[in-house]
Amino acid sequence: MASKKFLGNHPLSQAFRLMSALLLVAMLAYGIYAWFLAKERTLEQLLHLSDFTAKSSEQFFDHYAVALELLGQDLQEHQAMRSPAYAHDLLTRFQQLNPDIATVNVVSTQGQILLSSRVPAGKPLPRSRQPAYFWEDFRKAQQKSDLQIVPPIKSAILKQWVMPLLYPVRDAQGRLQHFLVVTILLKNQQAIWRHLELPSDTAIGLIRDDYYLQSRWPDLGIPEDMYQHSKKGPLTAALEKTPRQVRGTYIGLADIKSTYRFGAFSRLPHYPMAAFVSMPVGKVWKDWFHLIRLPFLLFSLLIMGDFFIYRLSLRRETALEIARQEAQNALLRLSQQDALTKLPNRSYFQDQLRQAMARAERHERLLAVLFLDLDRFKVINDSLGHAHGDQLIQAVAQRLQASMRQSETVARMGGDEFTLLLEDLTTVEEATFAAQRILDCFREPFAVDGRELFVNTSIGIAIYPFDSADCQTLLKNADTAMYRAKELGRNNLQFYAAEMNARADNRLQLENRLRRALERGEYVLHYQPKLDLHSNAIFGVEALLRWESPELGLVSPLDFIPVLEETGLILPVGEWVLSSACRQAVAWQRMGLPLRVAVNLSARQFQQENLAGRIGEILRASGLPAKFLALEITESMVMANPGQVVDTLKQLKSMGISLAMDDFGTGYSSLAYLKNFPIDSLKIDRSFVNELPDNSKDAAIAKTIIALAHNLNLQVIAEGVEHRAQADFLRAHGCDAIQGYLVSRPVPAQQISALLQNSDFA
């Protein structure tokens, strides 16, 4: 008993009791609001339907008012009543033109049928037997000059309910001659209503100002009760209450079927009646139920939850606290998870690394941090797009996870960088084996959107406690070792060594100096001549970038050009090279030296949008004709996205620029693509020239490339020619041109004219 009292007085129970009361009040308030909303929606819908019914009925009656007026004029003008056969023909044609009509009669002012479309001329005509309300309207019509509408009557001949229309025909002096009486099948007049998509048990119809029903659909199977007596109910009460109101709504108990209904009416502008549409209140309840169904379900679930929490709050307080803690841990895990790969992120990895370092210290064990970076990922990202780059990152993450052991942790640090944590190591060699396992798993291609991509990785390794006892420093050292692996050719692993930090600092300083070199004018161009082996004359030069740093002196291109590529500085520097080389070529032409200048394009430059347009602007600005510019590209550049490359090359070729494939034979060497590329020349890489003519394999490769190029109508230029024996071999086997130290080292522009005067190249 005491425990129940304690349970009831517990703050949690009291809070949930209050919440339950509030929910009940909210549910009641929402239910009332939903009822009024459903009611207003239904009445608005009914008003629209009654407006439509009034408008369509007005048009229906207007049509017959005009048609009967014209028929009356025809009868008058042709004095048709003197010729019953002719008059009967007019009535018959009129009925054929208006198929809704059952009969057309000409009736005298005393109510005698003079002509009928259903009785041939000269045959006996039936007497008109109609209910009292018909004759009452008939007498009223004698004082009118427009169409009069009579409540429906049961046709003894047709055995169907019809709607009589009376039209008085008067002579030129306005004297009443006779009536045109048209009977329209009630079902024909209601045809448009039957095609409306209305909720079940919807009533639609017309009611006269004297409260006789003019038409109602559906008729409920008791038309005598509907049409032969005036009506009383919520509709007539609303009409009586608002005699001047064009449209309105009503709610109440209808006398037909004794159902509580919602309705709306719209008065016809030119006829003494109103259109009405009504629905049973069940329709509103149904709409109300749809409005409250989900909220009431939610309220009910909340109240049920409140009840169970009230009964179990104290007994489950401990369990709830545990669940709450687990939820917090789950949120913490989400905050430490990489959104793209679902791997642990940098924050989580660093936390795990600190804990692992503490465990390693207690148990006197080693641990290793492996820092991975995908090789040339930027090329894939730039050429295929970021979406494909993201898919590749996800594929790499999945493969890394699949190759991990249970005790190993893999995380994504950002971009294309991943880290691995290896715990409980006894020897450094265990880290080597794990890193080699990672390198091996990159040998198979990655499937990305129907493509097979071969991607390698460079791995840097730092060992605790040898390389650092600090988490951040250990990560930094692994990162430094990874960059050393990239410098040594990529796709390998490197352990951290202390001197790497000095190398990393030098690299950072080099980047900073390169960023300022262009604006300081520290870049220069040297030019290496190309010799035609047929004429022994220099016909062109290749522009080569050099950096004269005030602090470092003349820096080797092998040291700074890769940095330009990685940092993106190659774009502004490459544009400067193109512009400077073109201006120098124009200067030589003015000296009478028509040399073609060749410029190397980097992969980053080639991926620029509107590359051809930018080069065209440079040519126009310098005044150099396009035929004196050659662009050299490598196989690896064009194979990244062959379709796009072909389009760009065709644009450049159409401008008149010469195109050369540099370092041919060292990359993909795809003959299928080579035949489609609009290039002019192939350059044999120096690696195949160095040991000519003594190395038989290099000799075979050189001869094959020459033969292949000539069969494709391409010029062949050999690079790295340093000895006369190499030149003689190449000349003997048809090579078109050479460049290398045998002709000249790369020299400043001022020395080119002196070289041209030296003809001793035979």
Side-chain angles (χ1 to χ4, degrees):
M1 205 59 187
S3 63
K4 289 186 178 180
K5 183 177 180 181
F6 176 74
L7 181 63
N9 292 331
H10 192 274
L12 286 177
S13 299
Q14 294 175 355
F16 280 109
R17 279 184 189 173
L18 178 61
M19 183 180 293
S20 297
L22 291 175
L23 287 172
L24 285 171
V25 173
M27 185 165 61
L28 179 61
Y30 184 80
I32 295 172
Y33 163 75
W35 166 256
F36 282 103
L37 181 62
K39 171 185 168 184
E40 291 303 318
R41 286 182 179 176
T42 300
L43 291 176
E44 187 65 27
Q45 181 183 9
L46 291 171
L47 276 173
H48 287 306
L49 284 171
S50 66
D51 288 344
F52 168 78
T53 305
K55 184 176 180 180
S56 60
S57 299
E58 181 88 9
Q59 292 173 347
F60 180 85
F61 294 136
D62 283 347
H63 165 75
Y64 282 104
V66 173
L68 289 172
E69 180 182 4
L70 295 175
L71 178 60
Q73 290 175 1
D74 283 348
L75 291 172
Q76 290 286 91
E77 290 175 3
H78 297 91
Q79 298 182 350
M81 295 306 295
R82 297 182 181 180
S83 174
Y86 179 71
H88 183 272
D89 186 51
L90 285 178
L91 298 184
T92 303
R93 286 204 302 270
F94 181 82
Q95 184 174 353
Q96 291 172 350
L97 292 173
N98 297 276
D100 291 338
I101 295 174
T103 61
V104 184
N105 296 335
V106 179
V107 180
S108 70
T109 56
Q110 288 76 34
Q112 180 182 358
I113 298 177
L114 303 178
L115 281 174
S116 176
S117 62
R118 301 185 62 86
V119 179
K123 297 292 184 179
L125 295 169
R127 291 183 60 189
S128 180
R129 297 178 180 178
Q130 306 296 353
Y133 58 82
F134 175 87
W135 295 115
E136 183 178 349
D137 279 3
F138 185 83
R139 287 190 295 273
K140 292 178 182 179
Q142 294 182 1
Q143 309 302 320
K144 306 290 185 179
S145 60
D146 53 0
L147 182 70
Q148 300 299 307
I149 305 167
V150 180
I153 61 176
K154 181 70 173 287
S155 172
I157 298 175
L158 299 175
K159 307 299 182 183
Q160 297 186 61
W161 283 83
V162 297
M163 181 186 296
L165 303 180
L166 305 180
Y167 186 83
V169 179
R170 298 180 181 274
D171 60 15
Q173 287 73 37
R175 292 188 297 269
L176 180 63
Q177 300 297 306
H178 47 260
F179 284 96
L180 291 175
V181 181
V182 172
T183 57
I184 298 173
L185 291 175
L186 203 58
K187 65 180 182 180
N188 292 343
Q189 181 268 328
Q190 297 170 351
I192 189 171
W193 300 343
R194 290 196 296 273
H195 291 88
L196 295 175
E197 294 184 3
L198 300 173
S200 60
D201 209 13
T202 299
I204 184 169
L206 299 169
I207 188 168
R208 294 159 54 96
D209 287 353
D210 55 7
Y211 306 137
Y212 276 84
L213 277 176
Q214 186 64 46
S215 180
R216 185 188 189 277
W217 184 84
D219 59 14
L220 305 177
I222 48 172
E224 289 82 359
D225 292 342
M226 289 196 304
Y227 298 129
Q228 294 185 351
H229 307 284
S230 62
K231 303 299 174 189
K232 292 293 182 181
L235 172 59
T236 57
L239 292 170
E240 284 179 344
K241 187 177 180 180
T242 57
R244 297 182 180 276
Q245 189 170 318
V246 175
R247 63 202 296 260
T249 60
Y250 61 92
I251 303 172
L253 188 66
D255 57 345
I256 297 177
K257 294 186 69 175
S258 297
T259 56
Y260 197 79
R261 303 180 72 85
F262 283 42
F265 66 86
S266 300
R267 284 188 166 90
L268 276 65
H270 301 106
Y271 299 96
M273 63 183 67
F276 68 89
V277 182
S278 69
M279 297 178 183
V281 71
K283 166 65 168 57
V284 183
W285 284 114
K286 185 177 180 181
D287 291 347
W288 175 79
F289 176 73
H290 283 294
L291 286 172
I292 68 163
R293 181 174 51 184
L294 290 180
F296 271 37
L297 177 61
L298 177 60
F299 288 146
S300 301
L301 291 175
L302 289 174
I303 292 173
M304 291 173 61
D306 173 73
F307 172 77
F308 284 109
I309 292 172
Y310 168 74
R311 297 291 298 171
L312 303 173
S313 59
L314 287 183
R315 283 182 292 175
R316 298 187 61 186
E317 187 171 346
T318 303
L320 288 174
E321 182 61 30
I322 294 173
R324 189 159 46 248
Q325 187 62 43
E326 289 178 349
Q328 290 175 354
N329 292 337
L331 289 174
L332 181 62
R333 285 194 298 272
L334 287 175
S335 69
Q336 295 176 339
Q337 186 181 74
D338 176 62
L340 179 63
T341 62
K342 308 307 179 188
L343 292 177
N345 60 13
R346 178 187 294 271
S347 173
Y348 180 78
F349 183 84
Q350 291 176 345
D351 182 61
Q352 292 297 303
L353 177 56
R354 292 188 189 95
Q355 298 178 34
M357 291 170 71
R359 290 192 294 269
E361 183 180 9
R362 286 197 303 270
H363 299 103
E364 297 183 351
R365 291 280 185 165
L366 305 178
L367 69 78
V369 173
L370 278 62
F371 207 107
L372 285 69
D373 186 272
L374 303 184
D375 296 335
R376 296 184 174 87
F377 176 72
K378 289 182 180 179
V379 175
I380 295 174
N381 221 14
D382 293 341
S383 59
L384 299 182
H386 291 283
H388 288 80
D390 288 347
Q391 293 179 37
L392 176 59
I393 292 293
Q394 290 172 328
V396 169
Q398 292 172 3
R399 189 171 295 183
L400 287 175
Q401 275 188 307
S403 66
M404 290 298 98
R405 295 173 179 171
Q406 188 172 2
S407 61
E408 299 171 347
T409 301
V410 58
R412 183 186 180 211
M413 303 300 280
D416 60 334
E417 295 177 338
F418 297 86
T419 50
L420 278 75
L421 174 59
L422 310 179
E423 292 190 67
D424 201 28
L425 304 182
T426 56
T427 64
V428 173
E429 285 73 15
E430 292 179 61
T432 304
F433 296 148
Q436 189 59 53
R437 171 162 43 90
I438 299 301
L439 291 174
D440 291 343
C441 82
F442 276 78
R443 290 181 179 176
E444 295 297 323
F446 292 88
V448 175
D449 196 23
R451 300 171 181 262
E452 286 192 345
L453 300 179
F454 287 89
V455 180
N456 298 321
T457 184
S458 300
I459 304 177
I461 307 172
I463 304 295
Y464 170 87
F466 303 145
D467 297 326
S468 179
D470 175 71
C471 170
Q472 296 296 335
T473 306
L474 195 66
L475 273 171
K476 174 178 174 294
N477 291 342
D479 187 25
T480 302
M482 180 271 294
Y483 275 105
R484 180 58 178 165
K486 285 189 175 294
E487 291 175 3
L488 295 177
R490 299 181 173 88
N491 193 28
N492 68 92
L493 61 93
Q494 292 295 318
F495 282 88
Y496 171 75
E499 60 269 17
M500 289 182 180
N501 278 333
R503 186 181 293 107
D505 290 340
N506 292 336
R507 161 70 180 246
L508 183 60
Q509 293 179 18
L510 182 65
E511 286 186 18
N512 292 334
R513 290 190 177 106
L514 284 170
R515 293 183 187 278
R516 297 191 297 268
L518 185 60
E519 60 188 52
R520 292 180 177 180
E522 297 174 6
Y523 293 118
V524 295
L525 290 181
H526 285 188
Y527 299 89
Q528 187 173 39
K530 297 180 181 180
L531 180 70
D532 188 320
L533 289 178
H534 303 299
S535 63
N536 288 327
I538 293 174
F539 66 93
V541 295
E542 180 178 354
L544 300 169
L545 180 64
R546 298 293 184 263
W547 178 28
E548 293 182 349
S549 170
E551 298 88 358
L552 305 176
L554 188 62
V555 183
S556 169
L558 297 177
D559 293 332
F560 74 87
I561 288 183
V563 180
L564 291 177
E565 287 274 7
E566 292 176 13
T567 59
L569 292 172
I570 194 66
L571 296 178
V573 173
E575 191 164 312
W576 176 86
V577 170
L578 264 171
S579 181
S580 300
C582 289
R583 289 197 303 270
Q584 182 59 56
V586 171
W588 281 328
Q589 288 186 2
R590 291 171 180 166
M591 297 169 57
L593 304 175
L595 297 176
R596 175 183 290 168
V597 61
V599 177
N600 291 283
L601 285 181
S602 71
R604 282 286 189 92
Q605 286 178 282
F606 203 76
Q607 292 158 7
Q608 290 183 99
E609 292 186 3
N610 195 26
L611 174 64
R614 184 65 194 126
I615 293 176
E617 292 176 5
I618 292 174
L619 287 172
R620 286 190 293 274
S622 64
L624 180 68
K627 67 180 181 179
F628 289 103
L629 174 63
L631 297 176
E632 298 188 0
I633 56 178
T634 63
E635 291 177 290
S636 58
M637 287 166 49
V638 299
M639 292 304 297
N641 192 346
Q644 180 182 350
V645 166
V646 169
D647 293 338
T648 303
L649 292 178
K650 286 181 178 178
Q651 292 177 23
L652 295 171
K653 182 69 175 176
S654 66
M655 295 165 58
I657 298 172
S658 178
L659 302 172
M661 181 74 75
D662 200 6
D663 301 335
F664 184 75
T666 61
Y668 295 91
S669 301
S670 172
L671 301 182
Y673 287 120
L674 183 62
K675 69 177 183 179
N676 294 322
F677 291 150
I679 59 176
D680 301 286
S681 57
L682 293 181
K683 298 189 73 174
I684 303 176
D685 186 71
R686 65 179 64 249
S687 62
F688 303 127
V689 176
N690 288 339
E691 299 184 20
L692 290 179
D694 301 325
N695 189 308
S696 59
K697 292 182 179 179
D698 285 345
I701 292 173
K703 289 189 287 184
T704 300
I705 293 175
I706 293 170
L708 171 66
H710 285 167
N711 286 333
L712 294 175
N713 295 320
L714 302 178
Q715 186 185 35
V716 186
I717 304 173
E719 296 181 296
V721 178
E722 299 182 1
H723 307 294
R724 189 170 295 276
Q726 295 170 337
D728 292 341
F729 175 87
L730 293 166
R731 180 186 288 109
H733 290 90
C735 184
D736 300 298
I738 60 172
Q739 70 181 90
Y741 286 3
L742 178 64
V743 182
S744 171
R745 293 174 176 270
V747 296
Q750 301 90 323
Q751 299 182 25
I752 292 296
S753 57
L755 280 172
L756 290 175
Q757 296 173 4
N758 179 14
S759 59
D760 187 19
F761 294 113

